CSV table of all heavy atoms in Angstrom, one decimal:
chain,number,residue,atom,x,y,z
W,337,TYR,N,2.7,-22.6,-5.9
W,337,TYR,CA,1.9,-21.4,-5.8
W,337,TYR,C,0.5,-21.5,-6.1
W,337,TYR,O,0.3,-22.2,-7.1
W,337,TYR,CB,2.6,-20.2,-6.6
W,337,TYR,CG,4.0,-19.9,-6.2
W,337,TYR,CD1,5.1,-20.7,-6.8
W,337,TYR,CD2,4.3,-18.9,-5.2
W,337,TYR,CE1,6.4,-20.3,-6.4
W,337,TYR,CE2,5.6,-18.6,-4.8
W,337,TYR,CZ,6.7,-19.2,-5.5
W,337,TYR,OH,8.0,-19.0,-5.2
W,338,LEU,N,-0.3,-21.0,-5.4
W,338,LEU,CA,-1.7,-21.0,-5.7
W,338,LEU,C,-2.2,-19.6,-6.3
W,338,LEU,O,-1.8,-18.6,-5.8
W,338,LEU,CB,-2.5,-21.3,-4.5
W,338,LEU,CG,-4.0,-21.8,-4.6
W,338,LEU,CD1,-4.1,-23.1,-5.4
W,338,LEU,CD2,-4.7,-22.0,-3.2
W,339,TYR,N,-3.1,-19.7,-7.4
W,339,TYR,CA,-3.5,-18.5,-8.0
W,339,TYR,C,-5.1,-18.6,-8.2
W,339,TYR,O,-5.6,-19.7,-8.5
W,339,TYR,CB,-2.9,-18.3,-9.4
W,339,TYR,CG,-3.6,-17.3,-10.2
W,339,TYR,CD1,-3.4,-15.9,-10.1
W,339,TYR,CD2,-4.5,-17.7,-11.3
W,339,TYR,CE1,-4.1,-15.0,-10.9
W,339,TYR,CE2,-5.3,-16.8,-12.1
W,339,TYR,CZ,-5.1,-15.5,-11.8
W,339,TYR,OH,-5.8,-14.7,-12.6
W,340,PHE,N,-5.8,-17.5,-8.0
W,340,PHE,CA,-7.3,-17.5,-8.3
W,340,PHE,C,-7.7,-16.1,-8.4
W,340,PHE,O,-7.0,-15.1,-8.0
W,340,PHE,CB,-8.1,-18.3,-7.3
W,340,PHE,CG,-7.8,-17.9,-5.9
W,340,PHE,CD1,-8.4,-16.9,-5.2
W,340,PHE,CD2,-7.0,-18.7,-5.0
W,340,PHE,CE1,-8.2,-16.5,-4.0
W,340,PHE,CE2,-6.8,-18.4,-3.7
W,340,PHE,CZ,-7.4,-17.2,-3.0
W,341,ARG,N,-8.9,-15.9,-8.8
W,341,ARG,CA,-9.7,-14.6,-8.7
W,341,ARG,C,-10.9,-14.8,-8.0
W,341,ARG,O,-11.6,-15.8,-8.1
W,341,ARG,CB,-9.9,-14.0,-10.2
W,341,ARG,CG,-8.6,-13.6,-10.8
W,341,ARG,CD,-8.9,-12.8,-12.1
W,341,ARG,NE,-9.6,-13.7,-13.1
W,341,ARG,CZ,-10.7,-13.4,-13.7
W,341,ARG,NH1,-11.4,-12.2,-13.6
W,341,ARG,NH2,-11.3,-14.2,-14.6
W,342,LEU,N,-11.3,-13.7,-7.2
W,342,LEU,CA,-12.5,-13.6,-6.4
W,342,LEU,C,-13.4,-12.5,-6.9
W,342,LEU,O,-12.8,-11.3,-7.0
W,342,LEU,CB,-12.3,-13.7,-5.1
W,342,LEU,CG,-11.9,-15.1,-4.3
W,342,LEU,CD1,-11.4,-14.8,-2.9
W,342,LEU,CD2,-13.3,-15.9,-4.2
W,343,LYS,N,-14.7,-12.7,-7.1
W,343,LYS,CA,-15.6,-11.6,-7.3
W,343,LYS,C,-16.8,-11.6,-6.3
W,343,LYS,O,-17.3,-12.8,-6.0
W,343,LYS,CB,-16.1,-11.4,-8.7
W,343,LYS,CG,-15.1,-11.2,-9.7
W,343,LYS,CD,-15.6,-11.3,-11.2
W,343,LYS,CE,-14.8,-10.9,-12.1
W,343,LYS,NZ,-15.4,-10.9,-13.5
W,344,LYS,N,-17.2,-10.6,-5.8
W,344,LYS,CA,-18.4,-10.5,-4.9
W,344,LYS,C,-19.5,-10.1,-5.8
W,344,LYS,O,-19.6,-8.9,-6.4
W,344,LYS,CB,-18.1,-9.6,-3.8
W,344,LYS,CG,-19.3,-9.7,-2.7
W,344,LYS,CD,-18.9,-8.8,-1.7
W,344,LYS,CE,-20.1,-8.9,-0.5
W,344,LYS,NZ,-19.9,-8.1,0.8
W,345,VAL,N,-20.6,-10.9,-6.0
W,345,VAL,CA,-21.7,-10.7,-6.8
W,345,VAL,C,-22.7,-9.7,-6.1
W,345,VAL,O,-23.0,-9.9,-4.9
W,345,VAL,CB,-22.4,-12.0,-7.2
W,345,VAL,CG1,-23.7,-11.7,-8.1
W,345,VAL,CG2,-21.5,-12.9,-7.8
W,346,GLY,N,-23.1,-8.8,-6.9
W,346,GLY,CA,-24.0,-7.8,-6.2
W,346,GLY,C,-23.5,-6.7,-5.4
W,346,GLY,O,-24.3,-5.9,-4.8
W,347,SER,N,-22.2,-6.3,-5.5
W,347,SER,CA,-21.6,-5.4,-4.7
W,347,SER,C,-21.8,-4.0,-5.5
W,347,SER,O,-21.8,-3.9,-6.6
W,347,SER,CB,-20.1,-5.6,-4.6
W,347,SER,OG,-19.4,-4.6,-4.1
W,348,PHE,N,-22.1,-3.0,-4.6
W,348,PHE,CA,-22.2,-1.7,-5.1
W,348,PHE,C,-21.0,-1.1,-5.5
W,348,PHE,O,-21.0,-0.1,-6.4
W,348,PHE,CB,-23.0,-0.9,-4.1
W,348,PHE,CG,-24.4,-1.2,-3.9
W,348,PHE,CD1,-24.7,-1.9,-2.7
W,348,PHE,CD2,-25.5,-1.0,-4.7
W,348,PHE,CE1,-26.1,-2.2,-2.4
W,348,PHE,CE2,-26.8,-1.3,-4.5
W,348,PHE,CZ,-27.1,-1.9,-3.3
W,349,LEU,N,-19.9,-1.4,-4.9
W,349,LEU,CA,-18.7,-1.0,-5.3
W,349,LEU,C,-18.1,-1.9,-6.4
W,349,LEU,O,-18.7,-2.7,-7.1
W,349,LEU,CB,-17.7,-0.9,-4.1
W,349,LEU,CG,-18.2,0.0,-2.9
W,349,LEU,CD1,-17.4,-0.1,-1.8
W,349,LEU,CD2,-18.4,1.4,-3.4
W,350,SER,N,-16.8,-2.0,-6.6
W,350,SER,CA,-16.0,-2.9,-7.6
W,350,SER,C,-16.3,-4.3,-7.1
W,350,SER,O,-16.2,-4.7,-6.0
W,350,SER,CB,-14.6,-2.6,-7.5
W,350,SER,OG,-14.0,-3.7,-8.3
W,351,PRO,N,-16.6,-5.2,-8.1
W,351,PRO,CA,-16.9,-6.6,-7.7
W,351,PRO,C,-15.6,-7.3,-7.3
W,351,PRO,O,-15.6,-8.4,-6.7
W,351,PRO,CB,-17.6,-7.1,-9.0
W,351,PRO,CG,-17.0,-6.3,-10.1
W,351,PRO,CD,-16.9,-4.9,-9.6
W,352,HIS,N,-14.5,-6.7,-7.7
W,352,HIS,CA,-13.2,-7.4,-7.5
W,352,HIS,C,-13.0,-7.3,-6.0
W,352,HIS,O,-12.9,-6.3,-5.4
W,352,HIS,CB,-12.2,-6.8,-8.3
W,352,HIS,CG,-12.3,-7.1,-9.8
W,352,HIS,ND1,-12.5,-8.2,-10.4
W,352,HIS,CD2,-12.6,-6.0,-10.8
W,352,HIS,CE1,-12.7,-7.9,-11.7
W,352,HIS,NE2,-12.7,-6.7,-12.0
W,353,ILE,N,-12.4,-8.5,-5.4
W,353,ILE,CA,-11.9,-8.5,-4.0
W,353,ILE,C,-10.6,-7.8,-3.9
W,353,ILE,O,-9.8,-7.9,-4.8
W,353,ILE,CB,-11.8,-10.0,-3.6
W,353,ILE,CG1,-13.1,-10.7,-3.6
W,353,ILE,CG2,-11.4,-10.0,-2.2
W,353,ILE,CD1,-14.2,-10.0,-2.9
W,354,SER,N,-10.5,-7.0,-3.0
W,354,SER,CA,-9.3,-6.3,-2.7
W,354,SER,C,-8.6,-6.5,-1.3
W,354,SER,O,-9.3,-7.3,-0.5
W,354,SER,CB,-9.4,-4.8,-2.9
W,354,SER,OG,-10.3,-4.2,-1.8
W,355,SER,N,-7.4,-6.0,-1.0
W,355,SER,CA,-6.8,-6.3,0.2
W,355,SER,C,-7.6,-5.5,1.3
W,355,SER,O,-7.3,-6.0,2.6
W,355,SER,CB,-5.4,-5.8,0.1
W,355,SER,OG,-5.3,-4.5,-0.2
W,356,THR,N,-8.3,-4.6,1.1
W,356,THR,CA,-9.1,-3.9,2.1
W,356,THR,C,-10.5,-4.4,2.3
W,356,THR,O,-11.3,-4.0,3.2
W,356,THR,CB,-9.3,-2.4,1.6
W,356,THR,OG1,-9.9,-2.2,0.4
W,356,THR,CG2,-7.9,-1.8,1.6
W,357,ASP,N,-10.9,-5.5,1.6
W,357,ASP,CA,-12.1,-6.0,1.7
W,357,ASP,C,-12.3,-6.8,3.1
W,357,ASP,O,-11.4,-7.5,3.5
W,357,ASP,CB,-12.4,-7.1,0.7
W,357,ASP,CG,-13.9,-7.3,0.4
W,357,ASP,OD1,-14.6,-7.8,1.3
W,357,ASP,OD2,-14.4,-7.1,-0.7
W,358,THR,N,-13.3,-6.5,3.9
W,358,THR,CA,-13.5,-7.1,5.1
W,358,THR,C,-14.4,-8.3,5.1
W,358,THR,O,-14.7,-8.9,6.2
W,358,THR,CB,-14.1,-6.0,6.0
W,358,THR,OG1,-15.2,-5.6,5.5
W,358,THR,CG2,-13.0,-4.9,6.2
W,359,ASP,N,-14.9,-8.7,3.9
W,359,ASP,CA,-15.9,-9.8,3.9
W,359,ASP,C,-15.2,-11.2,3.9
W,359,ASP,O,-15.8,-12.2,3.9
W,359,ASP,CB,-16.8,-9.8,2.6
W,359,ASP,CG,-17.7,-8.5,2.8
W,359,ASP,OD1,-18.2,-8.3,4.0
W,359,ASP,OD2,-18.2,-8.0,1.9
W,360,LEU,N,-13.9,-11.3,3.7
W,360,LEU,CA,-13.2,-12.6,3.6
W,360,LEU,C,-11.8,-12.3,4.0
W,360,LEU,O,-11.3,-11.3,4.0
W,360,LEU,CB,-13.3,-13.2,2.3
W,360,LEU,CG,-12.5,-12.6,1.1
W,360,LEU,CD1,-12.6,-13.7,0.0
W,360,LEU,CD2,-13.2,-11.4,0.6
W,361,TYR,N,-11.0,-13.5,4.4
W,361,TYR,CA,-9.7,-13.5,4.7
W,361,TYR,C,-9.1,-14.8,4.5
W,361,TYR,O,-9.9,-15.8,4.3
W,361,TYR,CB,-9.3,-13.0,6.2
W,361,TYR,CG,-10.0,-13.8,7.3
W,361,TYR,CD1,-9.4,-15.0,7.7
W,361,TYR,CD2,-11.3,-13.5,7.8
W,361,TYR,CE1,-9.9,-15.6,8.8
W,361,TYR,CE2,-11.8,-14.2,8.8
W,361,TYR,CZ,-11.2,-15.4,9.3
W,361,TYR,OH,-11.7,-16.1,10.3
W,362,LEU,N,-7.7,-14.9,4.5
W,362,LEU,CA,-7.1,-16.3,4.3
W,362,LEU,C,-6.6,-16.9,5.5
W,362,LEU,O,-6.4,-16.2,6.6
W,362,LEU,CB,-5.9,-15.9,3.3
W,362,LEU,CG,-6.1,-15.4,2.1
W,362,LEU,CD1,-4.8,-15.3,1.3
W,362,LEU,CD2,-7.1,-16.1,1.2
W,363,LEU,N,-6.5,-18.1,5.5
W,363,LEU,CA,-6.0,-19.0,6.7
W,363,LEU,C,-4.9,-19.9,6.0
W,363,LEU,O,-5.1,-20.6,5.2
W,363,LEU,CB,-7.0,-19.9,7.3
W,363,LEU,CG,-8.1,-19.0,8.1
W,363,LEU,CD1,-9.2,-20.2,8.5
W,363,LEU,CD2,-7.4,-18.6,9.5
W,364,ILE,N,-3.7,-19.6,6.6
W,364,ILE,CA,-2.5,-20.4,6.2
W,364,ILE,C,-1.9,-21.2,7.5
W,364,ILE,O,-1.6,-20.4,8.4
W,364,ILE,CB,-1.5,-19.7,5.5
W,364,ILE,CG1,-1.9,-19.0,4.3
W,364,ILE,CG2,-0.1,-20.5,5.3
W,364,ILE,CD1,-0.9,-18.3,3.5
W,365,ASN,N,-2.1,-22.5,7.5
W,365,ASN,CA,-1.8,-23.2,8.7
W,365,ASN,C,-2.6,-22.8,10.0
W,365,ASN,O,-2.0,-22.6,11.1
W,365,ASN,CB,-0.3,-23.3,9.0
W,365,ASN,CG,0.5,-24.2,8.1
W,365,ASN,OD1,0.0,-25.1,7.5
W,365,ASN,ND2,1.8,-23.8,7.9
W,366,GLY,N,-3.8,-22.4,9.8
W,366,GLY,CA,-4.7,-22.0,10.8
W,366,GLY,C,-4.5,-20.5,11.3
W,366,GLY,O,-5.3,-20.1,12.1
W,367,GLN,N,-3.6,-19.8,10.7
W,367,GLN,CA,-3.4,-18.5,11.1
W,367,GLN,C,-3.9,-17.4,9.9
W,367,GLN,O,-3.7,-17.8,8.8
W,367,GLN,CB,-1.7,-18.3,11.3
W,367,GLN,CG,-1.2,-19.1,12.3
W,367,GLN,CD,-1.8,-18.8,13.7
W,367,GLN,OE1,-1.9,-17.7,14.1
W,367,GLN,NE2,-2.1,-19.9,14.4
W,368,ARG,N,-4.4,-16.4,10.5
W,368,ARG,CA,-5.0,-15.4,9.5
W,368,ARG,C,-3.8,-14.8,8.8
W,368,ARG,O,-2.8,-14.5,9.3
W,368,ARG,CB,-5.7,-14.4,10.4
W,368,ARG,CG,-6.5,-13.4,9.4
W,368,ARG,CD,-7.7,-12.8,10.2
W,368,ARG,NE,-8.4,-11.7,9.4
W,368,ARG,CZ,-9.4,-11.2,9.7
W,368,ARG,NH1,-10.1,-11.6,10.9
W,368,ARG,NH2,-10.0,-10.3,9.1
W,369,ALA,N,-4.0,-14.7,7.4
W,369,ALA,CA,-3.0,-14.1,6.5
W,369,ALA,C,-3.6,-13.1,5.7
W,369,ALA,O,-4.8,-13.1,5.4
W,369,ALA,CB,-2.5,-15.2,5.6
W,370,PRO,N,-2.8,-12.1,5.3
W,370,PRO,CA,-3.5,-11.0,4.5
W,370,PRO,C,-3.7,-11.5,3.1
W,370,PRO,O,-3.1,-12.3,2.5
W,370,PRO,CB,-2.2,-10.0,4.4
W,370,PRO,CG,-0.9,-10.8,4.6
W,370,PRO,CD,-1.4,-11.9,5.5
W,371,LEU,N,-4.8,-10.8,2.5
W,371,LEU,CA,-5.3,-11.2,1.2
W,371,LEU,C,-4.8,-10.0,0.3
W,371,LEU,O,-5.5,-8.9,0.2
W,371,LEU,CB,-6.7,-11.3,1.1
W,371,LEU,CG,-7.4,-11.5,-0.2
W,371,LEU,CD1,-6.9,-12.9,-0.9
W,371,LEU,CD2,-8.8,-11.6,-0.2
W,372,GLU,N,-3.7,-10.1,-0.4
W,372,GLU,CA,-3.1,-9.1,-1.1
W,372,GLU,C,-3.4,-9.4,-2.6
W,372,GLU,O,-2.7,-10.3,-3.2
W,372,GLU,CB,-1.6,-8.9,-0.8
W,372,GLU,CG,-1.3,-8.6,0.6
W,372,GLU,CD,0.2,-8.5,1.0
W,372,GLU,OE1,1.0,-8.9,0.0
W,372,GLU,OE2,0.6,-8.2,2.1
W,373,THR,N,-4.2,-8.5,-3.2
W,373,THR,CA,-4.7,-9.0,-4.7
W,373,THR,C,-4.2,-7.9,-5.6
W,373,THR,O,-3.9,-6.8,-5.2
W,373,THR,CB,-6.2,-9.0,-4.6
W,373,THR,OG1,-6.8,-7.8,-4.3
W,373,THR,CG2,-6.7,-10.0,-3.7
W,374,LEU,N,-4.3,-8.2,-6.9
W,374,LEU,CA,-4.1,-7.3,-8.0
W,374,LEU,C,-5.3,-6.5,-8.1
W,374,LEU,O,-6.4,-6.8,-7.7
W,374,LEU,CB,-3.6,-8.0,-9.1
W,374,LEU,CG,-2.2,-8.8,-9.1
W,374,LEU,CD1,-1.9,-9.5,-10.2
W,374,LEU,CD2,-1.2,-7.9,-8.8
W,375,PRO,N,-5.3,-5.4,-8.9
W,375,PRO,CA,-6.5,-4.6,-9.1
W,375,PRO,C,-7.7,-5.5,-9.8
W,375,PRO,O,-8.8,-5.0,-9.5
W,375,PRO,CB,-5.9,-3.5,-10.2
W,375,PRO,CG,-4.5,-3.4,-9.8
W,375,PRO,CD,-4.1,-4.7,-9.5
W,376,ASN,N,-7.3,-6.5,-10.5
W,376,ASN,CA,-8.6,-7.3,-11.1
W,376,ASN,C,-8.9,-8.4,-10.2
W,376,ASN,O,-9.6,-9.2,-10.7
W,376,ASN,CB,-8.0,-7.9,-12.5
W,376,ASN,CG,-7.0,-8.9,-12.4
W,376,ASN,OD1,-6.4,-9.0,-11.3
W,376,ASN,ND2,-6.6,-9.7,-13.5
W,377,GLY,N,-8.5,-8.4,-9.0
W,377,GLY,CA,-9.0,-9.3,-8.1
W,377,GLY,C,-8.1,-10.6,-8.0
W,377,GLY,O,-8.5,-11.6,-7.3
W,378,SER,N,-7.1,-10.7,-8.9
W,378,SER,CA,-6.3,-11.9,-8.9
W,378,SER,C,-5.4,-12.0,-7.6
W,378,SER,O,-4.9,-11.0,-7.1
W,378,SER,CB,-5.4,-11.8,-10.1
W,378,SER,OG,-6.0,-11.8,-11.4
W,379,TYR,N,-5.2,-13.2,-7.3
W,379,TYR,CA,-4.4,-13.4,-6.0
W,379,TYR,C,-3.3,-14.5,-6.3
W,379,TYR,O,-3.6,-15.6,-6.9
W,379,TYR,CB,-5.2,-14.0,-4.9
W,379,TYR,CG,-4.5,-14.5,-3.7
W,379,TYR,CD1,-3.9,-13.6,-2.8
W,379,TYR,CD2,-4.3,-15.9,-3.5
W,379,TYR,CE1,-3.2,-14.0,-1.7
W,379,TYR,CE2,-3.7,-16.3,-2.4
W,379,TYR,CZ,-3.1,-15.5,-1.5
W,379,TYR,OH,-2.3,-15.9,-0.3
W,380,TYR,N,-2.1,-14.1,-5.9
W,380,TYR,CA,-0.9,-15.0,-6.0
W,380,TYR,C,-0.5,-15.3,-4.5
W,380,TYR,O,-0.2,-14.4,-3.8
W,380,TYR,CB,0.1,-14.5,-6.9
W,380,TYR,CG,-0.1,-14.6,-8.4
W,380,TYR,CD1,-0.6,-13.4,-8.9
W,380,TYR,CD2,0.2,-15.5,-9.1
W,380,TYR,CE1,-0.9,-13.4,-10.3
W,380,TYR,CE2,0.0,-15.7,-10.5
W,380,TYR,CZ,-0.5,-14.5,-11.1
W,380,TYR,OH,-0.9,-14.4,-12.4
């Protein structure tokens, strides 16, 4: 399992990345995958 946290610097909203963020997405085996994060931006 891979774990990390992502923050967007200079965001007017919460700096923590969320599942509704449109600025980034995941790729697993070349296929787009959902980025489902915790409230503090942590991702498992």
